[in-house]
Amino acid sequence: MLKFKPIIINRKTDYYENVEYIPQIMFLYRRWEKFLKDDFAMSEESFYEYFMNLIEDVSPYFWVILFNNETAGFVYLENFTGDSKILHGAEITTCFDKKFWGSFTYYTALVFFNYCFKNLGLKKIKALVYPENFRVVRLLKRCGFLKEGILKAETMRNGKPQDIEVYSLFR
C-alpha cells in the first residue's frame, strides 16, 4: 500500500514528526545527489546539518514515500508562489530507491500530483532537471509535464557551468 508520511522538523518549537525515516532518505539523497544538488548546495555545514536544514526549511511539505511500510523514496515541495491563503505553484524534488523505478514511480507521481492539485490547491507544479537525467525527463513527460525552457549555465556543478531544464504541469 502506497503512503506519503510528512517529515516535519521544527527545532524552535522542538516539534518532530516521522523523523525515524531520516536515515533512509539521507541514504537515498547521498546515492543520487549528483542529480539533486549543485556546487552551492552545501557550504561549510556537514551533510547531516544540510539535510536537516532542508527538511526544516520545507516543512510541512516534505514526505517520505512508503510502499508496504518500506521506504521507496521521498518528495518535497519548495519555492512556492501564492500567499498564505492561496498557493499557486511549487517546485518539486523527488528521489526513489532504484528498485522502485518504473511503473511504481509513475503511479506514485500521478497520486502525488493529484494530491497537490486537489488538497493543496496548486495550479502549477514545476520541476527543474539536469538535462542528462533522462529517466526523470521521461517520467515528467509521461505524467503530462511540458518543457518550458532551458536555463543556460544556471548553476555550477563539478566546477563547470550547468544548464537546467524547466518542466511544468498545470492543473
Side-chain angles (χ1 to χ4, degrees):
M1 179 174 190
L2 176 65
K3 292 182 191 173
F4 295 90
K5 283 191 172 185
I7 297 180
I8 299 173
I9 295 175
N10 188 328
R11 291 179 268 199
K12 290 178 186 160
T13 64
D14 204 30
Y15 180 77
Y16 302 88
E17 190 175 323
N18 297 314
V19 293
E20 66 270 20
Y21 297 103
I22 289 177
Q24 295 158 317
I25 59 176
M26 283 178 73
F27 175 80
L28 282 175
Y29 191 98
R30 280 298 241 201
R31 173 71 177 92
W32 302 109
E33 69 185 328
K34 68 181 178 182
F35 297 111
L36 297 169
K37 68 181 189 89
D38 59 17
D39 290 353
F40 307 110
M42 285 182 12
S43 54
E44 299 297 316
E45 57 197 15
S46 70
F47 175 71
Y48 176 80
E49 251 330 283
Y50 165 78
F51 202 74
M52 296 301 281
N53 287 337
L54 170 67
I55 295 172
E56 186 168 27
D57 289 347
V58 301
S59 286
Y61 300 105
F62 192 112
W63 296 267
V64 62
I65 302 165
L66 301 172
F67 182 68
N68 294 333
N69 294 318
E70 184 178 357
T71 301
F74 64 85
V75 61
Y76 63 89
L77 298 173
E78 63 182 335
N79 298 325
F80 287 89
T81 55
D83 59 27
S84 61
K85 295 177 186 164
I86 299 173
L87 294 176
H88 176 76
E91 184 180 313
I92 187 172
T93 300
T94 190
C95 182
F96 284 86
D97 187 307
K98 191 173 186 174
K99 76 182 203 177
F100 292 97
W101 290 2
S103 58
F104 176 82
T105 308
Y106 173 68
Y107 170 73
T108 302
L110 294 179
V111 170
F112 186 74
F113 299 145
N114 186 51
Y115 170 82
C116 290
F117 291 136
K118 287 189 175 183
N119 296 73
L120 300 179
L122 293 177
K123 308 289 186 277
K124 178 180 181 178
I125 300 170
K126 181 171 51 175
L128 304 181
V129 184
Y130 297 133
E132 71 273 10
N133 196 349
F134 64 91
R135 284 185 177 89
V136 170
V137 168
R138 194 168 44 231
L139 174 67
L140 293 172
K141 289 178 177 179
R142 188 172 173 208
C143 289
F145 277 73
L146 301 173
K147 184 174 180 178
E148 289 199 89
I150 298 174
L151 305 172
K152 291 295 209 179
E154 179 66 9
T155 192
M156 298 292 288
R157 238 170 103 219
N158 303 317
K160 297 178 183 170
Q162 173 67 59
D163 294 349
I164 295 177
E165 295 180 346
V166 180
Y167 290 85
S168 295
L169 180 66
F170 299 89
R171 184 176 188 175

